[in-house]
Structure formats: C-alpha cells, structure tokens
Amino acid sequence: MEYIDLRSDTVTRPTPEMREAMAAAEVGDDVYMDDPTVNQLQEKAAEMLGKEDSLFVPSGTMGNLLALLVHCQRGHEVIVGDNAHIYVNEAGGMSALGGIHPRPVKNQADGTLALDEIRAAIQTEDVHHTITRLICLENTQNICGGVMLSAEYTQQVGKIARENDLSLHIDGARIFNAASALNVDVRELVAPADSIMFCLSKGLVAPVGSMLVGSKKFINRARHLRKMLGGGMRQVGVLAAAGMISLEKMTNRLGQDHARAKVLFEGLKQVRGLKLDASPSSNMVYFDILDEVRLSVKQIADGMKKQGVLVDWAGPRRFRLVTHYWVDDAGVKKTLEAFAEVLK
Ligand SMILES: *Cc1c(COP(=O)(O)O)cnc(C)c1O
C-alpha cells in the first residue's frame, strides 16, 4: 500500500532524477577535499546564502553541534529558545559533548525571542556567572507552528549580538521554507548570522545531509571538528549529487507545499472534534483533538493508517501534519476524507 505520509518532511524519498544523479556522480575522497561533487555542492550552498564557505554534514544535529563547538568553549553560555530544536531535540549535545551551558529564553507564539529578554539574558561580568558567547535562532520555528522569522527581526537580533560581542547562529533546518513563505531572498534572512545550518533532507527531498554555512575561517574549524566527531566521509559525492538537485530544483517549489498545507487546514476546520491552530505559515498544520472525541491520539493515528494515511502526534491531544514533495492534491483530499471517516 502506498501511504500518504504526513508525519514529517524528513520522510521524503529521493526523486528518480536524484537517484540517476547519485548513480552517475563523480566522486573522490572528501576527507582530502577531493570529491568534485561535494565541492560543487559546498560552493553552491555558500553562494546561495551569501557566505564565504560551507560544509556538507551528515545531519542537521551534527551541523548545529559543530556550530556550537566552533563558537563556544567549555563553560560558555548560549541564548536559545525554550522550544528550539537545539534545546529540546538534540539530546543535550551542547552540554554532553561541548560543556556548553544553554540559557533558554521563552519562544513567543510567533517563534521570536523577545529582544528585551535576549538583552536581559546576556550575562554580566561577575565571578558567579557563565560567559555568554552565542545567540541561536530557529527559522522556520518548528514547535511554534513552522512560523517564519523576518529579515528585520533577524537584523535586530544581529545588532544585539554585535553590540555585545556575541555570535549569531541560525538553525535554518527549513530556512528555504521561510524564504519562500516570506517571498524574500534567503540571503536577507541569514545576512546578520555568523553561521547557518540548513537541511537538504527535509522539504528539499534529498535522502541525507545538511549544510553548515559561514566564513572560511569558521568552516575550516568546523571541518576539523567534523572529523573529530567521526563525520569525515569519503566518496560522499553520491549524496551531494542529490543535494545539488535540492538546491537547484527544490528550493523554488516549496510554495506548493505551503499552499497544500493551507488547503489541508481549511478542510480540517470542517471536521468535527478538531481545534486548529492559526492558519499555517509554511508546511506544517498543527491542531488539538477536543475532549468530546473519545479516541486517543494513537487510536486516531491507527485509524488513519487503515485509511492509508500516516500521521504522527505532537502531544497527548495534539497532531502535526507536514506537507512535502510526495503529498499532492489527491493526497490532501484523501487525508481529509480519512479524518472525516475516523472522527465521525
Ligand atoms: C530536523 C531539524 C534539525 C536536525 O536535523 P537532523 O538532520 O534530523 O539531525 C534541527 N533543527 C530543526 C529545526 C529541525 O527541524
């Protein structure tokens, strides 16, 4: 059975074109920086984001960890959203592996950290305190609903960082979704940042990989640490070849996923027993199950699976549906019919 899979955009399988490019990819030993396809991908990613250099990494989690390790020493502190992936969903890597101390600041409903709260979280010089070194933003902000942070907001945070001698890292796992939804060049969203991580393996449909982007000096240090963490890969051009197609062909089609998320949202509003969050900003639709519905989220997910639709819950009474390349209009229609059937 071919399922409509809305659990995440990480489930995207490579396209036939990607598989062909992977099979035909020119490769070399990337630890020697000899893989022409990886080099091409790294140049392209840096160019698209308006930075000097970039590094292909196995996962977004490793990309974020490398950024933290380059920017911070042991005992340094990082200002980060309390709903940030880096804080909530990366297994505490910054403290376990880097001795870095997170300083969570509340994520507002729009995904931002309030500017005065960022300022207030910066440590003063005092023997009791840690040393603040870095601010992290997430764009789009996943847990807040796949919401975008604007270029203006990011500029303001960049200004706070510069004034206080801090670096700014953007967890831009879905930065191209943000650029598409805001209809701006992605360069504008990352201009104030010292480093950015984005994922090829989510809405951009590649099977594996993320990019870490920044200055030449930053990337050289990150390459060294990637080797230390065991992320120095060899003929990895076979994966970079898919990533090239992500950058060339997938970054400019994300609006379709966002449009389908809106159709899904409008349709689900008509289904009894659901309380929808605000209209989706990008490719994520979040909603709660009302108490009047006697089914658990697991029972609902099991029922949906029987109808051919895979969904994942995001809390005891909460779902997140994510649209992507492999969910077409028919898939959205089928999903709405399945919810109506399961909740009737
Ligand atoms: C998925 C994700 C990551 C990590 O990427 P992996 O490749 O799964 O390690 C980081 N940040 C955000 C916001 C994400 O959604």
Side-chain angles (χ1 to χ4, degrees):
M1 185 165 188
E2 268 292 316
Y3 289 104
I4 306 298
D5 194 344
L6 293 155
R7 291 173 298 170
S8 177
D9 46 10
T10 59
V11 302
T12 43
R13 284 163 281 118
T15 62
E17 186 188 5
M18 283 181 175
R19 289 181 190 265
E20 269 172 44
M22 292 168 79
E26 249 189 274
V27 296
D29 188 331
D30 183 48
V31 173
Y32 291 108
M33 297 169 70
D34 263 355
D35 189 307
T37 311
V38 173
N39 292 340
Q40 191 191 12
L41 175 70
Q42 290 174 165
E43 273 168 37
K44 173 92 181 159
E47 194 256 327
M48 283 177 85
L49 269 69
K51 302 289 182 192
E52 282 177 4
D53 206 355
S54 86
L55 187 69
F56 185 56
V57 292
S59 69
T61 300
M62 189 189 283
N64 281 333
L65 177 63
L66 290 173
L68 289 157
L69 292 174
V70 174
H71 290 303
C72 303
Q73 300 294 314
R74 299 186 72 81
H76 282 167
E77 193 163 87
V78 173
I79 295 173
V80 62
D82 66 343
N83 276 325
H85 195 279
I86 288 179
Y87 184 56
V88 180
N89 282 322
E90 297 186 5
M94 78 162 88
S95 28
L97 303 170
I100 302 162
H101 195 249
R103 171 84 168 194
V105 167
K106 193 175 155 32
N107 276 110
Q108 314 288 306
D110 65 359
T112 62
L113 312 180
L115 297 175
D116 54 350
E117 289 183 32
I118 294 177
R119 284 193 202 93
I122 299 169
Q123 298 282 21
T124 52
E125 232 173 77
D126 182 312
V127 286
H128 298 87
H129 295 167
T130 55
I131 297 164
T132 311
R133 205 37 227 109
L134 177 70
I135 304 171
C136 292
L137 296 176
E138 182 175 313
N139 199 7
T140 60
Q141 215 298 340
N142 178 353
I143 293 179
C144 295
V147 290
M148 305 80 78
L149 308 184
S150 69
E152 296 71 37
Y153 171 76
T154 310
Q155 285 288 357
Q156 288 172 317
V157 176
K159 187 158 175 283
I160 296 176
R162 283 192 304 281
E163 284 167 358
N164 291 279
D165 222 1
L166 309 178
S167 297
L168 173 61
H169 173 69
I170 297 179
D171 175 351
R174 297 183 182 85
I175 195 76
F176 283 99
N177 291 87
S180 168
L182 291 164
N183 198 21
V184 297
D185 190 310
V186 69
R187 289 183 188 90
E188 287 183 43
L189 297 182
V190 303
D194 299 284
S195 57
I196 308 95
M197 183 285 290
F198 72 90
C199 294
L200 300 166
S201 59
K202 294 185 174 168
L204 301 183
V205 193
V208 180
S210 294
M211 303 305 298
L212 183 60
V213 190
S215 69
K216 275 209 168 4
K217 189 168 165 226
F218 170 87
I219 292 298
N220 283 339
R221 183 74 189 119
R223 184 179 290 106
H224 187 202
L225 290 164
R226 182 187 66 174
K227 191 78 183 80
M228 185 193 287
L229 295 180
M233 300 176 285
R234 303 294 179 177
Q235 286 72 35
V236 72
V238 290
L239 296 178
M244 277 306 288
I245 293 172
S246 294
L247 294 183
E248 283 169 352
K249 306 225 168 134
M250 297 298 173
T251 51
N252 53 20
R253 62 152 301 284
L254 293 167
Q256 295 178 36
D257 299 343
H258 302 173
R260 291 198 177 99
K262 287 215 162 60
V263 174
L264 200 52
F265 167 82
E266 292 299 334
L268 287 169
K269 277 205 300 195
Q270 312 304 318
V271 178
R272 257 186 57 187
L274 306 183
K275 183 174 177 297
L276 275 291
D277 281 18
S279 178
S281 307
S282 59
N283 65 336
M284 296 177 183
V285 183
Y286 276 93
F287 56 89
D288 292 316
I289 307 296
L290 295 177
D291 288 340
E292 72 195 37
V293 177
R294 294 274 168 75
L295 301 166
S296 70
V297 284
K298 181 169 187 318
Q299 286 170 319
I300 293 170
D302 289 347
M304 290 296 289
K305 189 171 177 184
K306 287 205 187 88
Q307 303 286 322
V309 181
L310 301 180
V311 294
D312 212 358
W313 57 89
R317 297 298 280 168
R318 193 162 172 76
F319 279 94
R320 183 194 73 165
L321 309 187
V322 186
T323 55
H324 54 73
Y325 184 85
W326 295 107
V327 180
D328 58 9
D329 293 337
V332 170
K333 187 160 173 278
K334 183 170 170 177
T335 302
L336 292 172
E337 287 164 2
F339 266 110
E341 175 66 25
V342 171
L343 292 169
K344 79 167 185 260

